[in-house]
Every structure is written in C-alpha cells, then in structure tokens.
Amino acid sequence: MTKPDARGSSAIHRMPAGIKLLALAVAGSAVVLVGDWRVMLACLALALLLYPAAGLTFRDAARQLRPLLWMLVILFAAQAWFESFALAALVVLRIAALVALAALVTLTTPMAAMIAVVERVVSPFRRLGVDPEKVGLAFALALRFIPVIAAQAGEIREAQRARGLDRNLVALALPLIVRTLRTADAVADAVEARSFDADAAGERVARLKMKVDRSSE
C-alpha cells in the first residue's frame, strides 16, 4: 500500500510540524471534553473533511480507521449493552476522530520533522537529567516499529485464518503481544550492546531519522 507523500504542496503539508502537533494536542483535548455524540459526529466529519483539504482522499482516511474497525464494533456493543447507545456512540466517535486527526498529521508531516519537534520540546528538561537525543531516539523507534508490528499482526492473522481462528481476538492478541515484547527486548539489547551515549546520540539519531523518513515515502 502506497502512503501519501508527507512532502505534498497543500497548506496543511506546508504548516510547521510544531504547529501541527500543537493543534493536534489542542484538538485532542477539546474532543475529550465533548459530551454529546451528535457534536462528536460533527467533529469526526470535520476531521475527515481535512483530508481533501490536504490533497488526500476519503479512502486514505478509511485506511487509517480500518485496522480499528473490529475494536470499535466490540467497544460499541459493550458500551451499548452495559451503559447506553448515546455513550457507546460518543466513545466510538471520539476514538475515530482522534485517530483520524493523528493520522492526518503523520500523513502530512515528515517523520524527521516530528522527531526534531519532540527533541526541542524536551530540551529545557536537560538540566533535570533528561536527554533529548535519547527521547528522540525512543520516539523514532516507536514510529519505526509501528509498521513492523502491523506486519506481524497481518502474519498472525493469516496463520490464524488458516486454522479457522480468524475471528478469535485472543488468538490474535496473545501471539502479537509476545512478538512485540520480544522485539522490544531485542531492540533494547541492541542499543545497550552498542553502548549508546549522549556523545554519539546526534549521529545515530540522524541516521535513524533518515531511515524513518525514507520509510514514510
């Protein structure tokens, strides 16, 4: 699946990464405060309308929400059963709106630019012992391994489908959790084995940024 170019020419593409992340934080906080599912439906519609404004399509938006479909269906059914339809609709629409907005930012912003913003934000805490380069590395690793975990989920789903367990969420979740934890341990061991330190952080993070940026193309 080809991803939209994060270096597009729309006004949203040209907006600085810091402004987009700040707007995402403000919008996310505002969405959490909404208590009416009808208002939340309007918020989701507005979030989706931003995709054409960024030169993307509603199909691009659907691709971001499709992996959450089963989770949203189960969450809606549980909330409707134990609480009410209104609360179920509110929760599901809120999650969909947040995911749509976050995905729009990632689709229109180079990963390297977002990592640079994270490093700048945490740099004032250097005097408290926080290493901005290490935080940037952690953020870059998280972004880099999202498609890896998604690919692993696809492999497990195909294997379970062959065994007739394609609708068994537990059969999918448990192997995926185990694989994710093993991957995290392997990455941690690799970083430790290479004696990661602040002096070498700049060069290593720069190389990782380039890899992350290329993977988003």
Side-chain angles (χ1 to χ4, degrees), residues 141-160:
L141 287 172
L143 293 174
R144 181 66 183 87
F145 280 97
I146 287 174
V148 173
I149 294 173
Q152 290 179 347
E155 293 174 3
I156 296 172
R157 186 181 297 111
E158 290 298 325
Q160 299 296 355

Side-chain angles (χ1 to χ4, degrees), residues 2 33 66 181:
T2 304
L33 296 176
R66 188 179 300 130
L181 292 176

Side-chain angles (χ1 to χ4, degrees), residues 116-181:
V117 171
V118 171
E119 291 182 0
R120 287 199 301 271
V121 169
V122 301
S123 60
F125 300 97
R126 187 188 294 273
R127 65 186 66 183
L128 300 178
V130 177
D131 190 331
E133 288 78 15
K134 288 187 177 181
V135 175
L137 176 65
F139 187 74
L141 287 172
L143 293 174
R144 181 66 183 87
F145 280 97
I146 287 174
V148 173
I149 294 173
Q152 290 179 347
E155 293 174 3
I156 296 172
R157 186 181 297 111
E158 290 298 325
Q160 299 296 355
R161 184 176 292 122
R163 296 179 175 87
L165 301 173
D166 55 309
R167 295 184 182 276
N168 192 323
L169 294 179
V170 176
L172 171 64
L174 291 180
L176 181 59
I177 292 173
V178 172
R179 284 198 185 188
T180 302
L181 292 176

